[in-house]
Amino acid sequence: MTSDLEAQLRAVSLRVTRPRLAVLATLRDHPHVDTDTVIALVRSELPSVSHQAVYDVLRALTDAGLIRRIQPAGATARYETRVRDNHHHVVCRWCGAIADVDCAVGHAPCLTASGDHGFVVDEAEVVYWGACPDCVTKRSEGN
Ligand SMILES: [Zn+2]
Ligand SMILES: [Zn+2]
Ligand SMILES: [Zn+2]
């Protein structure tokens, strides 16, 4: 699996480093985690990696298109390795849980604006909000 991640880095002309591999592996195994969680998981394997190094790696991987940064309104930024498929997210209003939702259209923008004011629209940001199964259960129990 590691060589697979190395190939991903090389494909976008990024040097293969242990912190970059560790961040990619972490996000592959734990989609939609926030920066603090990435730092904790990476440092559990590579204790010498600084917080700043993880921030730098997240930015470099995002800029290179290997990872996607999502930030639902009111939430901290999350990262994932599932890129380039225009998928959306369903977010729990109560606990912040996030899950992937395939785009019904499959490409951006998947909603047609009723008027574009002459703008060239290339994306419609779609976030589904609601309550996750756990929170539905808890709330119906009256807690
Ligand atoms: Zn929830
Ligand atoms: Zn996702
Ligand atoms: Zn869509």
Side-chain angles (χ1 to χ4, degrees), residues 23 35 38-39 42 49-59:
V23 169
T35 305
V38 175
I39 290 171
V42 167
V49 176
S50 69
H51 287 219
Q52 189 59 48
V54 174
Y55 287 120
D56 291 347
V57 168
L58 285 170
R59 193 170 50 236

Side-chain angles (χ1 to χ4, degrees), residues 32-84:
H32 311 130
V33 288
D34 63 11
T35 305
D36 287 347
T37 306
V38 175
I39 290 171
L41 290 166
V42 167
R43 284 165 60 93
S44 69
E45 267 182 64
L46 298 175
S48 62
V49 176
S50 69
H51 287 219
Q52 189 59 48
V54 174
Y55 287 120
D56 291 347
V57 168
L58 285 170
R59 193 170 50 236
L61 296 178
T62 304
D63 289 349
L66 290 184
I67 62 175
R68 176 174 166 190
R69 182 182 191 276
I70 57 166
Q71 186 158 22
T76 52
R78 315 292 187 95
Y79 295 89
E80 63 183 337
T81 53
R82 185 176 165 183
V83 294
R84 280 189 276 278

Side-chain angles (χ1 to χ4, degrees), residues 8-142:
Q8 286 187 32
L9 289 169
R10 292 206 180 90
V12 294
S13 306
L14 283 180
R15 207 157 45 85
V16 175
T17 64
R18 291 190 66 192
R20 285 173 178 166
L21 291 174
V23 169
L24 276 177
T26 296
L27 291 174
R28 181 192 58 202
D29 297 341
H30 306 271
H32 311 130
V33 288
D34 63 11
T35 305
D36 287 347
T37 306
V38 175
I39 290 171
L41 290 166
V42 167
R43 284 165 60 93
S44 69
E45 267 182 64
L46 298 175
S48 62
V49 176
S50 69
H51 287 219
Q52 189 59 48
V54 174
Y55 287 120
D56 291 347
V57 168
L58 285 170
R59 193 170 50 236
L61 296 178
T62 304
D63 289 349
L66 290 184
I67 62 175
R68 176 174 166 190
R69 182 182 191 276
I70 57 166
Q71 186 158 22
T76 52
R78 315 292 187 95
Y79 295 89
E80 63 183 337
T81 53
R82 185 176 165 183
V83 294
R84 280 189 276 278
D85 65 353
N86 198 50
H87 75 273
H88 307 302
H89 296 98
V90 58
V91 184
C92 177
R93 286 185 193 285
W94 307 101
C95 73
I98 296 183
D100 285 337
V101 179
D102 288 346
C103 180
V105 175
H107 59 81
C110 58
L111 292 175
T112 304
S114 60
D116 60 18
H117 301 277
F119 286 50
V120 177
V121 174
D122 59 23
E123 181 183 358
E125 187 174 283
V126 179
V127 179
Y128 301 96
W129 293 91
C132 74
D134 282 353
C135 289
V136 167
T137 305
K138 275 186 211 139
R139 294 178 67 75
S140 67
E141 287 165 356

